């Protein structure tokens, strides 16, 4: 019965009377499920607050559902919760910023909505963790960043290097050697009495963070082109203002992830792009196709040999009408599929591609929201299971097609999940889903509003608690059955 109560607590059709009865029941999980409902009235929030549970109150306040005047005076963490919930007046910000617990002050310093004057005060906090949070906050007055870039702790300097408002000159200094004077503390030793013998790892993190900043002058990145820290190199390898020689070096980086980012960079010169199209790693070759500046002939070459994702390609999105029509007439099926993925497609080309013999092209046409239901039926008839996924995910798929696919002996679990959640699914189709092997399919079907009431009642009384919970969440559940759940 617990799952049914939790499902009922999330049911959008729950009546006010039953809401109050669930609150009176006092079960902790149910109370939190009620607090997480999408729409709570002011009276319902106050009903939950009256329970007096600090954890529940904390959640309601942090969700922004409780005005400052309604936050209980004795609630622990009152100021911080109100700050995080967006309901705090200036006095509450200052109260939270003066909390004796460094963890509380750190959370305040991290908040993007914190007043600038509060952040400025926290930037002088005695605890480096608090200062670090303030230093990385984009609402911190930028004039404070140069001073914080000289902080004894590398953790604070790292936060400065990641602040979106950090000026280029300051970033260049941090990129070069971690800043002056040399730090005396790092993240590994700031809570110890004795400092580390060597803060090199902390300095390295400062420099790498600066390297990832979009405003750092690209000339300073020369020393990092062969860096083993792939996360940082992939970040700046996407910049379009890098010198051509830098991109040439990055294209030879041992990490395929870096080479793939270079391959997708529109600033890469055509000869290098053609070289990358022959890279040993398939992800690099596929990235060439994602480059907005890839020549059409090279795009065709890549599409002829690589399996590309089912999504619009930038170069095809920007193609002229003549180029699109040329690609649509390609002998390579995947090139035609790229056209079928295009966001804007002339009606005649859509018709032409809908008749394409390749199932990959058909799958993409079936996924287009403007494809008419009659076309979906034709595509399903012509290509069968190959287009099941696209047809059943289409918002306009008719109920008859959904049922036909659900009854097919080769239908997979992913397709059945889409069918069980589809608004057009009929009761007959949902009954098929309820006997599927996949538990998610059964759960989605049990929560579908087209399921008959008699079936919902049997699920509530059945041995499967998960299905009972999904049935209780069903917005088509009659009030009489809701009352039965509450009564136990």
């Amino acid at each position: 019965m617990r799952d049914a109560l939790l499902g009922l607590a999330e049911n959008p059709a729950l009546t006010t009377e039953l809401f109050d009865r669930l609150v009176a029941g006092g079960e902790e999980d149910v109370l939190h499920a009620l607090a997480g409902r999408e729409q709570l009235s002011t009276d319902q929030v106050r009903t939950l607050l009256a329970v007096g549970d600090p954890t529940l109150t904390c959640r309601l306040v942090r969700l922004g559902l409780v005005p400052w005047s309604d936050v209980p005076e004795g609630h622990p963490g009152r100021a911080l919760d109100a700050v995080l919930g967006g309901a705090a007046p200036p006095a509450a910000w200052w109260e939270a910023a003066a909390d004796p617990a460094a963890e509380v002050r750190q959370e305040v310093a991290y908040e993007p909505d914190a007043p600038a004057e509060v952040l400025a005060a926290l930037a002088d906090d005695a605890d480096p963790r608090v200062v670090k949070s303030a230093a990385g906050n984009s609402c911190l007055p930028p004039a404070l960043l140069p001073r914080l870039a000289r902080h004894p702790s590398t953790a604070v300097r790292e936060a400065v290097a990641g602040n979106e408002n950090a000026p280029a000159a300051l970033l260049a200094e941090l990129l070069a050697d971690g800043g002056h004077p040399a730090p005396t503390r790092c993240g590994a030793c700031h809570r110890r009495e004795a400092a580390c013998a060597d803060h090199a790892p902390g300095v390295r993190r400062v420099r790498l963070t600066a390297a990832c900043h979009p405003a750092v002058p690209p000339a300073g990145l020369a020393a990092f082109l062969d860096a083993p820290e792939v996360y940082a190199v992939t970040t700046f390898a996407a910049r379009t203002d890098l010198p051509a020689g830098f991109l040439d070096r990055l294209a030879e980086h041992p990490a395929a992830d870096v080479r793939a980012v270079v391959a997708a960079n529109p600033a890469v010169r055509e000869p290098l792009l053609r070289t990358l199209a022959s890279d040993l790693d398939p992800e690099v070759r596929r990235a060439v196709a994602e480059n907005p500046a890839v020549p059409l002939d090279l795009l065709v070459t890549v599409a002829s040999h690589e399996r590309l994702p089912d999504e619009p390609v930038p170069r095809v999105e920007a193609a002229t009408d003549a180029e699109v029509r040329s690609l649509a007439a390609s002998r390579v099926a995947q090139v035609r599929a790229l056209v079928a993925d295009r966001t804007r497609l002339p009606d005649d080309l859509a018709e032409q591609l809908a008749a394409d013999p390749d199932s990959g092209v058909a799958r993409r046409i079936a996924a287009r929201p403007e494809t008419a239901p009659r076309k979906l039926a034709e595509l399903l008839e012509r290509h069968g299971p190959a287009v099941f996924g696209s047809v059943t995910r289409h918002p306009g798929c008719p109920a008859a097609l959904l049922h036909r696919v659900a009854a097919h002996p080769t239908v997979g679990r992913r397709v059945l999940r889409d069918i069980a959640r589809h608004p057009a699914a009929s009761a007959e189709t949902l009954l098929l889903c309820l006997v599927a092997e996949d538990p998610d399919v059964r759960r989605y079907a049990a929560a579908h509003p087209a399921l008959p009431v008699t079936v919902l009642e049997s699920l509530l009384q059945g041995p499967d608690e998960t299905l009972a919970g999904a049935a209780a969440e069903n917005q088509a559940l009659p009030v009489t059955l809701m009352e039965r759940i509450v009564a136990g």
Side-chain angles (χ1 to χ4, degrees), residues 10-62:
E10 297 177 7
N11 194 315
L14 184 69
T15 65
T16 301
E17 179 190 353
L18 290 175
F19 180 97
D20 292 341
R21 287 173 62 183
L22 286 174
V23 174
E27 291 196 27
E28 184 178 357
D29 288 351
V30 175
L31 290 172
H32 280 275
L34 290 170
R37 289 172 62 86
E38 287 190 8
Q39 291 185 337
L40 286 174
S41 69
T42 301
D43 287 342
Q44 288 173 333
V45 171
R46 286 175 176 164
T47 298
L48 290 169
L49 281 177
V51 173
D53 180 86
T55 304
L56 182 62
T57 299
C58 172
R59 179 173 184 177
L60 292 168
V61 177
R62 291 195 179 198

Side-chain angles (χ1 to χ4, degrees), residues 64-127:
L65 300 175
V66 185
W68 175 248
S69 58
D70 288 351
V71 180
E73 287 285 348
H75 172 60
R78 179 174 184 257
L80 179 62
D81 289 345
V83 161
L84 298 180
W93 283 99
W94 285 109
E95 181 182 337
D99 194 285
E103 291 78 9
V104 173
R105 303 196 304 277
Q106 187 177 10
E107 284 203 64
V108 176
Y110 184 77
E111 272 301 295
D113 295 327
E117 57 273 18
V118 172
L119 291 175
L122 291 171
D124 288 323
D125 197 274
D127 193 307

Side-chain angles (χ1 to χ4, degrees), residues 310-311 328 333 336-380 382-383 386-387 389-395:
D310 294 6
E311 57 187 33
R336 303 194 301 274
L338 294 178
V339 177
D341 272 330
R342 195 173 191 260
T343 303
R344 301 179 307 281
L345 194 62
D347 292 342
D348 63 314
L349 278 188
E351 288 286 336
Q352 173 186 322
L353 294 170
D356 196 285
D358 184 78
S359 61
V361 177
R363 189 170 63 248
R364 289 160 168 84
I365 288 294
R368 298 183 69 86
E370 69 270 23
T371 299
R374 64 175 179 82
K375 284 293 181 184
L376 294 176
E378 293 173 8
L379 292 168
L380 187 61
R382 188 180 306 121
H383 298 280
V387 297
S390 297
V391 168
T392 55
R393 282 193 299 271
H394 194 286

Side-chain angles (χ1 to χ4, degrees), residues 219-235:
L221 297 170
F224 293 88
L225 299 179
D226 302 314
E229 293 89 355
V230 174
Y231 73 93
V233 184
T234 51
T235 299

Side-chain angles (χ1 to χ4, degrees), residues 152-201:
S153 172
T154 59
V156 174
R157 298 186 188 198
E158 183 182 349
V160 172
N163 191 303
E164 65 181 54
N165 296 319
L170 182 60
L171 290 167
E173 293 177 14
L174 294 173
L175 178 67
D177 55 11
H180 296 288
T184 59
R185 290 280 170 172
C186 66
C189 67
H190 79 271
R191 301 180 79 177
R192 296 207 311 252
E193 207 172 298
C196 294
D198 184 359
H199 304 295

Side-chain angles (χ1 to χ4, degrees), residues 110-156:
Y110 184 77
E111 272 301 295
D113 295 327
E117 57 273 18
V118 172
L119 291 175
L122 291 171
D124 288 323
D125 197 274
D127 193 307
R129 293 173 298 172
V130 179
V131 182
K132 176 183 176 180
S133 293
N137 196 316
S138 60
C139 292
L140 181 77
L144 298 179
L145 292 175
R147 176 170 63 80
L148 293 176
R150 298 189 297 273
H151 194 278
S153 172
T154 59
V156 174

Side-chain angles (χ1 to χ4, degrees), residues 24 35 51 70 90 103 135 198 204 212 232 236 252 256 283 289 301 309 314 343 398 442 455 463 475 477-478:
V51 173
D70 288 351
E103 291 78 9
D198 184 359
R204 180 70 175 177
C212 293
F236 67 72
E252 297 176 354
E283 289 300 323
T301 299
T343 303
R442 300 196 299 271
V455 178
Q475 60 185 0
L477 192 69

Side-chain angles (χ1 to χ4, degrees), residues 4 18 149 236 241 245 250 256 298-299 309 339 365 429 460:
L18 290 175
F236 67 72
D241 60 346
L250 290 168
L298 185 56
L299 176 60
V339 177
I365 288 294
T429 303
L460 290 171

